[in-house]
Amino acid sequence: MAELRVGLIGLGMMGRHHARVVREVDGLTLVAVADANGDPHGVAQGLPVLQNVAELIDAGIDMAVCAVPTGMHEEVGLALAEAGVHTLIEKPIAHSVEAGTKLVEAFAANGVIGAVGHIERYNPALQSLRERIANGDLGDVYQIATRRQGPFPARIADVGVVKDLATHDIDLTAWLAQSEYTHVTAQVALRSGRAHEDMVAATGRLANGTITNHLVNWLSPMKERLTVVTGEKGAFVADTLTADLTFYANGVVTTEWDSVANFRGVSEGDMTRYAIVKREPLRTEHEKFRDAVLGESQEIVTLQEGLNTLRTAEKVLSTAAAV
């Protein structure tokens, strides 16, 4: 396999994980790192810590990982696109739809591959779930509901919970259903004294008729990452913290107790927890992006898909503000 020279810009919490995985993946060599604020986690490991994207490009890289704060994605991404560097941009694609549109257009115009790091797509539980839905194991899909809750991450300063966390759920929902959002409405709350929202409850509808529900916050003392897909034959529950996937089937045994049968609507059937191979999602993400750069795969979150997700996130915020 040909070795791709990789540059990493942004050496914060996510940057350190990207650096570790790039060093582990076959066909990738981390040759340059950059961050104007230095290297607090010791990511460089002997490499000089460059100051900006221009210096990173001058290092002669084939592809890059952009892990800078969201507000800098546009500037850094445009520079990499114009330099002909294939780039994986951490989610969300940008701070605004206008900025995201510029990135989509720039990468297309320069003939280079761009992707957005919506890492949940590579979670083993969700990958198995998508395959099972596509195979018809659930029949018609009625609803996709997600819960993504936990304590406040001090590292996030430039966006609220909608663009930082809810974008995961927006992307994975459209991806699981293979259908885009046509409608969304939401309520948000600001409880931690920051300028951005830290809690959101959003509902929506996809083009194929699936209804959606998302509860996301930075205010819960417990961490929860659940996706529940309910359909004609039962319900799948994916826990992306543990990468567990469970199926709750509708029962096929007739319930003779009338009051119970009337109340439940459907009867309880068998519960199955699947044994699935659990690979680190970030590693899979990098392998798929590597393969896309080499022309061997298209299993990436495209910039256009990232822009669609951001557009829906902004609709969530605008509907909440209108209330």
Side-chain angles (χ1 to χ4, degrees):
M1 178 179 294
E3 287 290 324
L4 295 171
R5 293 170 55 85
V6 182
L8 167 64
I9 183 165
L11 305 181
M13 292 294 289
M14 278 306 300
R16 67 174 181 171
H17 293 301
H18 281 293
R20 170 182 58 81
V21 172
V22 167
R23 288 183 167 115
E24 294 173 352
V25 172
D26 291 341
L28 302 181
T29 302
L30 186 63
V31 299
V33 298
D35 194 315
N37 296 316
D39 184 15
H41 303 293
V43 166
Q45 295 185 15
L47 294 172
V49 179
L50 307 176
Q51 289 296 300
N52 52 50
V53 66
E55 293 183 5
L56 194 74
I57 292 168
D58 288 344
I61 55 176
D62 303 306
M63 58 178 276
V65 178
C66 174
V68 297
T70 303
M72 299 175 62
H73 286 187
E74 178 185 9
E75 174 188 352
V76 171
L78 289 176
L80 290 164
E82 291 167 3
V85 177
H86 307 292
T87 305
L88 173 62
I89 302 174
E90 259 303 333
K91 59 82 200 163
I93 183 175
H95 66 283
S96 69
V97 168
E98 293 75 18
T101 300
K102 290 179 182 178
L103 287 170
V104 171
E105 294 173 347
F107 276 84
N110 288 281
V112 287
I113 295 171
V116 184
H118 285 292
I119 194 170
E120 289 284 47
R121 285 204 195 183
Y122 303 100
N123 188 285
L126 292 180
Q127 292 213 322
S128 179
L129 172 54
R130 187 176 191 264
E131 182 178 351
R132 294 174 192 279
I133 291 173
N135 287 341
D137 292 6
L138 195 57
D140 289 340
V141 176
Y142 300 153
Q143 180 187 53
I144 300 177
T146 66
R147 299 201 304 270
R148 186 175 301 272
Q149 306 177 96
F152 174 70
R155 64 185 176 86
I156 303 298
D158 58 342
V159 293
V161 74
V162 171
K163 289 186 178 179
D164 184 65
L165 282 189
T167 48
H168 279 306
D169 298 300
I170 292 167
D171 176 74
L172 73 86
T173 296
W175 176 70
L176 284 173
Q178 301 186 51
S179 183
E180 292 293 335
Y181 284 79
T182 58
H183 178 76
V184 68
T185 187
Q187 298 284 341
V188 299
L190 292 83
R191 299 293 187 180
S192 59
R194 301 172 67 251
H196 303 287
E197 80 290 341
D198 41 38
M199 176 177 283
V200 61
T203 61
R205 181 179 294 274
L206 306 182
N208 65 3
T210 302
I211 61 173
T212 69
N213 182 62
H214 310 299
L215 296 178
V216 189
N217 73 60
W218 279 326
L219 300 176
S220 295
M222 79 292 186
K223 193 171 184 179
E224 184 179 41
R225 302 285 187 268
L226 288 180
T227 299
V228 181
V229 184
T230 303
E232 179 184 6
K233 300 179 182 179
F236 281 105
V237 178
D239 185 332
T240 55
L241 283 178
T242 60
D244 287 327
L245 179 64
T246 305
F247 180 57
Y248 296 84
N250 291 343
V252 295
V253 177
T254 302
T255 301
E256 296 182 1
W257 186 0
D258 292 341
S259 61
V260 172
N262 292 337
F263 176 74
R264 292 188 176 182
V266 298
S267 60
E268 296 177 0
D270 295 332
M271 180 189 76
T272 305
R273 176 169 291 179
Y274 296 101
I276 56 179
V277 177
K278 298 181 179 181
R279 303 186 73 243
E280 182 183 2
L282 190 61
R283 184 184 182 96
T284 303
E285 180 178 66
H286 274 282
E287 289 173 347
K288 295 301 184 183
F289 188 65
R290 173 204 63 195
D291 294 346
V293 170
L294 295 174
E296 299 173 358
S297 172
Q298 297 299 318
E299 297 179 54
I300 59 174
V301 184
T302 66
L303 294 181
Q304 184 60 57
E305 289 174 316
L307 179 59
N308 294 344
T309 294
L310 179 59
R311 185 175 287 112
T312 300
E314 292 205 347
K315 287 180 181 177
V316 166
L317 291 171
S318 64
T319 61
V323 174

